[in-house]
Amino acid sequence: MIEAAMIWNEPNNKSHWDPELDPDWSRFANMAILAADAIAAENPAVTKILGGISPIDADFMALMKQYGVLDHVDAVGVHGFPLDWNLWQIQEWPQKIGEISTVTDLPVWVSEVGVSSFGAEEVQRWGLRRTAELLLGNAPRIQWYSLYDLPREWGATTRHREAEGSSYYRHFYMGLLREDGTPKPALEEFLRYAPAMGLAQWFHFEDPRLDDAVAWMKRLRVTSLRTGLSWADSFRPNALDWYDRQMEALADFDVTVTFCFTPEHRGVMPHHTSPPLVPEEFAEFCATMIRRYAPGMAVSPVRSVRASAA
């Protein structure tokens, strides 16, 4: 079932929110409050999370507190990749969580953490083990990113490619499974920590890996999954069919759904990182998805999908 709704993904990262269009993040804050309230109106039992921030920045969190965003959510998310992109070391994980906890008493979810196998698969395995040692018991939710390597032909969702140089290619090696579906050494390591450690896995529109992913997650004893439903995808032909299929396939997991990505024609600028022209439209998308997949009554996602489609 959907147990939590995350409002946007990495709002302080220009790969996901354009700071040139919203330099003080006031537009984002307004949109986030509208979305949180819309979700709560549909089902107050769904946990509302401020989209995982990357980098982990206490000043950004303080700004969200100043705008009142934290009064409308139940938890905040942080994302960290210290062995790949962050300018801090892996043993600093408890300190980074502590920095956010000085700003807010809300639970701090580690909604994305991962290590690439770009340099060596054994480094990824070691990094997973060290991450588990540092975070299990210190954060209420930990989502390992990710199950699959990103196929090269899909491209990474980033606006940092020029700045990242060769590190850009680390995006393609974050999975426990290689692109051809074979396991890496880290997959066996992950088994030691599931189900206490969950997964974060994004599914592209009509992703052919969906059924295989469900089978792997059940084999790995995963119970908690973070994924996304793209607002931009809602304007594609057969969008609801895809959403229904995705959510029905994930019905056996405790799902955190991330709502994000502005449709190009509904943005201040035509890009998925743009603030929306009408922020209430994003809030309505969030409400519609909660109404469809996590209605206020205790109804399973599978039954609610079929009832809505009837």
Side-chain angles (χ1 to χ4, degrees):
M1 63 173 291
I2 293 180
E3 65 164 1
M6 179 169 282
I7 300 165
W8 217 258
N9 180 63
E10 300 183 0
N12 63 331
N13 185 322
K14 72 176 184 178
S15 291
H16 299 276
W17 188 263
D18 191 336
E20 293 186 4
L21 300 176
D22 186 23
D24 63 356
W25 277 276
S26 59
R27 283 177 160 175
F28 173 79
N30 179 51
M31 182 191 75
I33 289 171
L34 290 170
D37 290 351
I39 291 165
E42 291 297 330
N43 187 346
V46 171
T47 300
K48 303 175 298 298
I49 311 140
L50 176 63
I53 59 172
S54 180
I56 300 173
D57 181 358
D59 289 339
F60 179 82
M61 195 61 69
L63 182 63
M64 293 298 104
K65 183 175 184 179
Q66 177 185 325
Y67 283 137
V69 176
L70 303 192
D71 296 329
H72 295 258
V73 297
D74 307 302
V76 298
V78 298
H79 296 174
F81 302 90
L83 294 184
D84 289 285
W85 297 297
N86 297 139
L87 302 179
W88 46 275
Q89 296 183 318
I90 192 169
Q91 65 266 23
E92 295 177 64
W93 256 120
Q95 176 186 329
K96 303 308 286 187
I97 293 175
E99 290 172 6
I100 301 303
S101 295
T102 63
V103 177
T104 177
D105 293 330
L106 292 173
V108 180
W109 288 21
V110 181
S111 45
E112 258 187 53
V113 55
V115 177
S116 81
S117 60
F118 179 75
E121 290 184 346
E122 283 303 319
V123 170
Q124 184 186 46
R125 182 173 190 162
W126 177 86
L128 195 159
R129 180 169 64 249
R130 188 70 181 120
T131 298
E133 292 170 353
L134 291 163
L135 291 181
L136 288 175
N138 290 321
R141 187 61 51 86
I142 305 160
Q143 309 286 163
W144 183 262
Y145 177 81
S146 61
L147 179 61
Y148 289 103
D149 277 354
L150 181 67
R152 252 334 156 82
E153 63 271 17
W154 288 8
T157 304
T158 178
R159 298 179 81 169
H160 298 288
R161 182 168 183 171
E162 294 79 8
E164 286 177 339
S166 63
S167 291
Y168 168 77
Y169 297 98
R170 294 176 180 270
H171 289 285
F172 297 91
Y173 295 93
M174 304 301 294
L176 301 173
L177 300 169
R178 303 180 187 94
E179 186 178 349
D180 64 4
T182 56
K184 300 180 191 176
L187 184 133
E188 182 179 348
E189 189 70 26
F190 180 85
L191 263 171
R192 296 178 56 193
Y193 309 110
M197 182 179 285
L199 277 175
Q201 178 63 54
W202 294 87
F203 294 103
H204 286 224
F205 186 74
E206 297 182 341
D207 198 319
R209 306 170 301 176
L210 178 61
D211 292 334
D212 186 62
V214 169
W216 268 111
M217 289 189 292
K218 290 182 176 180
R219 204 175 309 164
L220 292 170
R221 298 183 292 114
V222 169
T223 58
S224 171
L225 171 70
R226 175 174 169 255
T227 190
L229 289 176
S230 164
W231 180 28
D233 282 347
S234 70
F235 289 90
R236 293 176 182 262
N238 305 315
L240 277 179
D241 290 342
W242 165 245
Y243 292 156
D244 286 354
R245 176 163 135 61
Q246 179 179 342
M247 297 314 298
E248 184 164 357
L250 302 178
D252 292 334
F253 303 96
D254 294 327
V255 178
T256 297
V257 173
T258 306
F259 298 129
C260 61
F261 297 150
T262 303
E264 288 190 359
H265 70 289
R266 300 310 304 150
V268 174
M269 293 290 287
H271 197 273
H272 70 267
T273 64
S274 172
L277 284 165
V278 182
E280 288 84 357
E281 292 179 356
F282 175 67
E284 178 53 32
F285 170 74
C286 296
T288 299
M289 294 297 99
I290 294 298
R291 192 180 310 131
R292 192 171 184 87
Y293 303 116
M297 299 296 290
V299 179
S300 75
V302 175
R303 288 199 299 274
S304 64
V305 166
R306 288 172 180 164
S308 299

